[in-house]
Amino acid sequence: MLIIKSVEELMNVAFRVKSNGKSVGLVPTMGALHAGHVSLLQKARQENEVVVCSIFVNPVQFNHTEDFEKYPRVLEHDMSLIADIADILFIPSEKEIYPTPPTEQYHFGFLETVMEGAARPGHFNGVATIVKRLLDWITPDKAYFGEKDYQQLLIIRQLVKDYKLNVQIVPCPIVREANGLAMSSRNTRLSPEALNKAGLIHRVLSLSTQAIHYPVEQIKQLVIKELNDVPEFEVEYFEIADATTLQPVTDMNTPESVMGFIALHVEGVRLIDNIKYK
Ligand code: PAF
């Protein structure tokens, strides 16, 4: 695995690889890699001749300095996990990515006004800033994103559409722990008891799909109550929305595809997950 720290070298290597007619798959990450990231990398491996993984804890997508500082940084572990899958690992410093404070302003309309967009002002602008720069520097054929961050996936698709970027965005299914908890780098901050209890999130969401014929408001209240009944849990939002536009759904029959989206705090750690209703 070739390790690259400078943008200049990254651009040179990417240019050479593409000039040789090789296909390139990019998996952008913030590190603290787990089986979810590995599944993205494996898919990239299957579909491309050259796989690039980036690890950069992007300061401008965090709303709280404390959250940024607490974000796990475990490079040795990450490298051992991906050494056999990725060809190139890009691990830039903050100065390398942002020699001067970034000023990009992206607009995603309704998509950025709800759920994660509403709860974390500026978050998606920060995500778009780093993703757009990586896509411009590497010009991959495909880039891989997990469906756990479903709203992020839609935002990135919108970015690609708005800027007419020549890249295919490949969504990858959520990878779960044995108890159903969606894999996340933040899970490492949970106690073993909380990790255990957090399996309930997916169980409750899955059960709620059986209530698809109930009124939407009733399904929402059921999910919120079930989870808030656990003392360590505090639901921040649970929304049922059109999977394409994220517009709230009042009648399950109307949109073609409907999903439920949750954010909750478990022992003070903020987790998100989602479920497909139809
Ligand atoms: O999903 C993530 O890990 C991050 O938001 C991303 C896409 C790597 C941008 O920093």
Side-chain angles (χ1 to χ4, degrees):
M1 188 164 67
L2 174 66
I3 296 179
I4 297 182
K5 294 186 178 175
S6 85
V7 171
E8 194 184 347
E9 189 185 354
L10 179 74
M11 288 170 79
N12 286 339
V13 170
F15 181 75
R16 222 177 310 128
V17 166
K18 297 216 66 176
S19 307
N20 287 338
K22 293 213 159 61
S23 58
V24 177
L26 168 66
V27 180
T29 81
M30 297 206 298
L33 305 180
H34 49 68
H37 297 108
V38 172
S39 78
L40 265 60
L41 282 155
Q42 277 164 343
K43 194 158 173 60
R45 178 78 283 160
Q46 284 160 13
E47 297 183 349
N48 302 275
E49 285 159 300
V50 175
V51 174
V52 183
C53 176
S54 64
I55 296 182
F56 178 62
V57 187
N58 178 32
V60 300
Q61 71 182 76
F62 286 84
N63 306 85
H64 304 289
T65 327
E66 199 196 337
D67 202 19
F68 171 65
E69 280 162 4
K70 275 193 182 164
Y71 200 87
R73 288 153 173 93
V74 284
L75 190 57
E76 292 292 312
H77 158 271
D78 290 347
M79 292 202 336
S80 66
L81 211 60
I82 66 169
D84 293 339
I85 320 177
D87 302 295
I88 298 170
L89 173 61
F90 180 49
I91 38 168
S93 65
E94 197 177 318
K95 265 261 161 294
E96 188 63 26
I97 297 284
Y98 302 125
T100 55
T103 53
E104 290 96 319
Q105 286 300 324
Y106 294 98
H107 301 285
F108 299 103
F110 184 76
L111 279 186
E112 68 179 344
T113 64
V114 289
M115 300 189 294
E116 293 305 286
R120 306 179 64 187
H123 168 66
F124 286 127
N125 197 66
V127 171
T129 299
I130 182 66
V131 171
K132 173 76 164 54
R133 288 188 185 200
L134 289 171
L135 293 175
D136 285 346
W137 293 331
I138 302 169
T139 61
D141 297 275
K142 296 182 180 186
Y144 297 77
F145 294 89
E147 286 179 338
K148 182 172 79 69
D149 296 297
Y150 188 86
Q151 191 171 2
Q152 168 174 283
L153 177 66
L154 293 188
I155 292 271
I156 287 163
R157 283 204 161 129
Q158 184 71 45
L159 177 77
V160 166
K161 198 168 161 198
D162 288 348
Y163 288 85
K164 303 198 185 335
L165 304 178
N166 193 13
V167 59
Q168 185 186 332
I169 299 302
V170 183
C172 300
I174 299 177
V175 177
R176 298 184 180 280
E177 303 284 355
N179 70 357
L181 174 64
M183 291 216 178
S184 162
S185 307
R186 289 164 191 251
N187 293 356
T188 55
R189 286 163 53 190
L190 296 173
S191 70
E193 297 76 42
L195 264 177
N196 204 9
K197 286 189 184 166
L200 188 68
I201 303 166
H202 181 58
R203 282 205 299 284
V204 169
L205 292 184
S206 296
L207 269 177
S208 76
T209 63
Q210 293 172 20
I212 184 163
H213 300 297
Y214 287 27
V216 169
E217 209 39 52
Q218 207 171 327
I219 306 175
K220 281 170 67 173
Q221 291 317 316
L222 276 170
V223 167
I224 293 171
K225 183 179 177 324
E226 258 329 284
L227 292 171
N228 273 343
D229 276 352
V230 182
E232 293 86 352
F233 290 9
E234 195 191 333
V235 175
E236 188 178 308
Y237 65 74
F238 175 61
E239 300 293 347
I240 296 182
D242 182 315
T244 315
T245 62
L246 297 187
Q247 291 283 348
V249 163
T250 45
D251 175 1
M252 282 279 190
N253 295 313
T254 321
E256 202 174 298
S257 180
V258 177
M259 289 174 67
F261 300 91
I262 193 158
L264 77 170
H265 299 258
V266 176
E267 282 183 338
V269 180
R270 190 172 185 278
L271 303 177
I272 59 170
D273 200 350
N274 59 64
I275 194 87
K276 192 168 172 55
Y277 286 105
K278 63 173 215 171

